[in-house]
């Protein structure tokens, strides 16, 4: 039997996060000597841009949307489009791989310490200081069709607080997980970027937004400039030419 490989993976459900995916891809290649497969799980909205995405990833998997019929109680900005958040759970069904290091597309990798994460044998994540449970922006997981089936069967039950959509569900589904050091998912609003940061997460304002929508335009700092290093002038030009 051929041994399954590991992969770093992100998720896209809207065109607006493509610049983030490109910067994430470039940051991984730049800071890990290009030794990891980079895969994308995406919904059908991204099919028109497949040729562009393929320039920045090794695999792209188009998946069916996951809908939650239980939307009352959701407080995040995707309440009226809960599938955008819950469809991310398709990462647990990517059984072509042994282990998946999932990273949100609004993150960048800054240090070559990914090997440390792949050594884990259980679902692993940073603890969200505000929410109290696992932070779903960076997770090490082992894809499993049976687990994915259980996820789909339980997505609509009323046993969990669904305030934060998929993250709330994952905290219910995985009450026990291996807790990672905060430097593997440094949240923009919670912790400063320092030399120990491995993965930095722009979980608030996105550094690629236009100036009038971009809070970073008013507080440009090291994190902002690092992101633009990985989505630099050449990438910006390619992006504009492709999407004009």
């Amino acid at each position: 039997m051929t041994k399954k490989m590991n992969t770093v993976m992100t998720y896209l459900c809207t065109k607006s996060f493509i610049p983030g995916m490109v910067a994430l891809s470039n940051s991984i290649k730049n800071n890990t000597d290009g030794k990891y497969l980079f895969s994308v799980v995406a919904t059908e909205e991204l099919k028109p841009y497949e040729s562009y995405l393929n320039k920045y990833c090794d695999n792209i998997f188009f998946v069916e949307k996951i809908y939650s019929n239980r939307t009352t109680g959701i407080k995040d900005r995707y309440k009226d489009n809960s599938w955008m958040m819950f469809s991310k759970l398709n990462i647990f069904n990517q059984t072509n791989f042994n282990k998946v290091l999932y990273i949100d597309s609004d993150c960048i990798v800054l240090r070559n310490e990914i090997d440390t994460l792949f050594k884990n044998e259980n679902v692993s994540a940073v603890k969200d200081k505000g929410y109290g449970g696992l932070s779903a922006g960076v997770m090490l997981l082992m894809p499993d069709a049976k687990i994915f089936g259980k996820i789909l069967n339980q997505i609509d039950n009323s046993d969990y607080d669904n305030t934060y959509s998929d993250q709330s569900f994952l905290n219910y589904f995985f009450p026990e997980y291996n807790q990672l050091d905060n430097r593997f998912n440094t949240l923009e609003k919670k912790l400063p970027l320092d030399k120990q940061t491995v993965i930095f997460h722009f979980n608030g304002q996105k550094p690629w937004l236009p100036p009038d929508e971009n809070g970073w335009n008013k507080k440009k700092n090291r994190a902002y400039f690092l992101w633009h290093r990985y989505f630099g002038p050449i990438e910006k030009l390619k992006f504009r030419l492709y999407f004009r």
Side-chain angles (χ1 to χ4, degrees), residues 7-240:
T7 189
V8 181
M9 182 175 287
T10 197
Y11 163 69
L12 291 173
C13 63
T14 173
K15 169 187 171 184
S16 62
F17 273 73
I18 291 178
M21 171 264 185
V22 171
L24 172 60
S25 174
N26 288 338
S27 74
I28 293 168
K29 292 175 182 176
N30 186 272
N31 292 298
T32 65
D33 301 321
K35 64 179 180 179
Y36 296 103
L37 286 176
F38 179 57
S39 304
V40 175
V41 163
T43 55
E44 61 185 7
E45 282 72 14
L46 279 299
K47 283 188 176 180
Y49 319 115
E50 184 174 3
S51 62
Y52 181 85
L53 298 177
N54 275 325
K55 297 176 182 178
Y56 298 99
C57 67
D58 299 291
N59 304 285
I60 182 165
F61 304 100
F62 291 102
V63 295
E64 294 185 6
K65 294 176 181 176
I66 298 175
Y67 292 89
S68 172
N69 295 317
R70 180 179 165 239
T71 57
T72 300
I74 296 177
K75 292 184 179 179
D76 61 37
R77 62 186 181 278
Y78 297 106
K79 177 180 179 179
D80 295 329
N81 293 290
S82 64
W83 65 267
M84 289 184 171
M85 301 300 290
F86 284 106
S87 296
K88 170 179 164 179
L89 298 176
N90 277 290
I91 60 178
F92 288 91
N93 197 34
Q94 302 311 304
T95 55
N96 289 328
F97 302 103
N98 178 39
K99 295 180 183 179
V100 167
L101 174 59
Y102 172 80
I103 305 177
D104 272 350
S105 56
D106 54 353
C107 297
I108 51 175
V109 173
L110 300 175
R111 292 169 61 87
N112 190 1
E113 295 189 31
I114 302 301
D115 284 338
T116 303
L117 299 179
F118 277 117
K119 290 178 182 178
N120 292 294
E121 297 295 335
N122 300 304
V123 171
S124 304
V126 167
K127 183 177 181 179
D128 189 310
K129 287 190 174 182
Y131 185 72
L134 67 81
S135 179
V138 177
M139 296 183 291
L140 189 282
L141 59 103
M142 282 58 69
D144 186 308
K146 291 183 179 179
I147 289 178
F148 182 65
K150 291 179 180 178
I151 286 174
L152 295 181
N153 287 334
Q154 296 185 39
I155 203 79
D156 284 329
N157 73 41
S158 58
D159 295 338
Y160 69 98
D161 169 17
N162 66 345
T163 302
Y164 298 107
S165 306
D166 65 302
Q167 179 158 290
S168 295
F169 177 79
L170 287 170
N171 276 278
Y172 155 75
F173 197 82
F174 295 107
E176 297 181 2
Y177 63 97
N178 179 49
Q179 187 173 329
L180 300 175
D181 188 275
N182 290 325
R183 64 199 180 95
F184 289 107
N185 186 5
T186 298
L187 302 179
E188 168 218 326
K189 293 184 178 180
K190 302 295 182 182
L191 296 166
L193 172 63
D194 60 34
K195 292 182 179 180
Q196 302 304 311
T197 299
V198 178
I199 300 172
F200 188 78
H201 192 167
F202 295 85
N203 65 316
Q205 291 284 342
K206 310 308 176 191
W208 61 83
L209 292 176
D212 58 335
E213 301 175 36
N214 188 356
W216 288 90
N217 196 51
K218 300 176 182 177
K219 57 172 185 177
K220 292 178 180 178
N221 58 17
R222 182 165 173 255
Y224 175 89
F225 289 115
L226 277 172
W227 188 90
H228 282 276
R229 175 189 298 175
Y230 299 117
F231 193 76
I234 294 177
E235 300 296 357
K236 291 181 176 70
L237 177 60
K238 290 179 180 177
F239 184 82
R240 286 197 298 269

